[in-house]
Amino acid sequence: MKVTILQGSARKKGNTARVIGWVEEELLSQGHEVENIYLNSQSLNGCMGCAKCKEKPDTIGCIQKDDVPEILGKIVSSQLVIFASPLYFWGVSAQIKAVIDRTYSLYTNYHQPDHASLVQGQRQALLVTGAGPFEDNAEGVFTAFGRMQNPHRAVNAGELYIGSCTTPDKLNDSVQKQAVEFARKIVG
Ligand SMILES: Cc1cc2nc3c(=O)[nH]c(=O)nc-3n(C[C@H](O)[C@H](O)[C@H](O)COP(=O)(O)O)c2cc1C
C-alpha cells in the first residue's frame, strides 16, 4: 500500500516525530511504501478560498504556486494518508492545517448528487500528541478530522491521541505499543 505521512510538527526530534517514527517503522516492516513529508521544510500557504479549483473537477486545480500542489498530488496517489500533529490550542498545527484547507481542491459539488472526490475511498488517519489529557482538550481535533472524510468521501482509518507528553525520551514502551497497534489497524 502506498502511504503518505504528513509530519506536522516543526520539531524534527519531538514527540510527534518519535511516535510517527514507530508507526512508520511498523508500516515499512509490513512491506508498505511510505513517504514521510516533513511539512515544516515546505512552502505552505493557506487556502485563499478563490474556488478556482472547483472549475476543474478532475484535477487538483489549485492555482497557488507553492509546494502544496505537489503534496496534494502525493496525497491523491496514496491509499493511506496519516496526518500527524502536535495539539496546538486544541487543534492541529498550522503546517497541517494549511494542507488540510488546501484539500478543498480535491473535491467538487459537495452536498450535491454529483459530488466527486479525487480521494474517494482513501484511508485517512490522525495521530496527535499533546501535553494534556484527551478530555476537555483533544476532542475537537478528532471531531474536525472525522468530518473531513465527508467532503473527501474518504474512510476514517483510525485515530490515536498520545497525551501527557513531556519530552520524547519519556515516551515509553506502552506508547510504542499503541503506535504499532495503530499502524496495524489503519492499513485495514
Ligand atoms: C503553541 C503550542 C500550543 C499548544 N497547545 C496545546 C493544547 O492545546 N493542548 C495540549 O495538550 N498541549 C498543547 N501544547 C503542547 C504540545 O501539544 C505537546 O508538547 C506536543 O507533544 C508537542 O509535540 P512535538 O514535540 O512534536 O512538537 C501546545 C504547545 C505549543 C508549542
Side-chain angles (χ1 to χ4, degrees), residues 9 11 14-17 86-90 129-133 137 161 165-166:
S9 172
R11 289 174 8 115
N15 296 316
T16 311
L87 190 64
Y88 275 5
F89 287 88
W90 311 283
T129 72
N137 188 35
Y161 179 66
C165 289
T166 53

Side-chain angles (χ1 to χ4, degrees), residues 82-154:
I82 311 173
F83 297 77
S85 178
L87 190 64
Y88 275 5
F89 287 88
W90 311 283
V92 289
S93 69
Q95 292 88 338
I96 284 276
K97 187 65 165 67
V99 175
I100 287 177
D101 289 353
R102 298 281 292 281
T103 67
Y104 190 64
S105 61
L106 300 184
Y107 59 89
T108 46
N109 301 318
Y110 184 39
H111 291 311
Q112 292 168 46
D114 52 350
H115 176 196
S117 168
L118 296 175
V119 289
Q120 177 154 352
Q122 177 181 78
R123 300 180 72 79
Q124 300 180 338
L126 177 65
L127 185 156
V128 177
T129 72
F134 180 81
E135 293 76 24
D136 287 330
N137 188 35
E139 299 94 331
V141 75
F142 291 95
T143 301
F145 180 76
R147 289 183 181 157
M148 185 175 81
Q149 280 82 52
N150 295 329
H152 283 184
R153 303 193 101 166

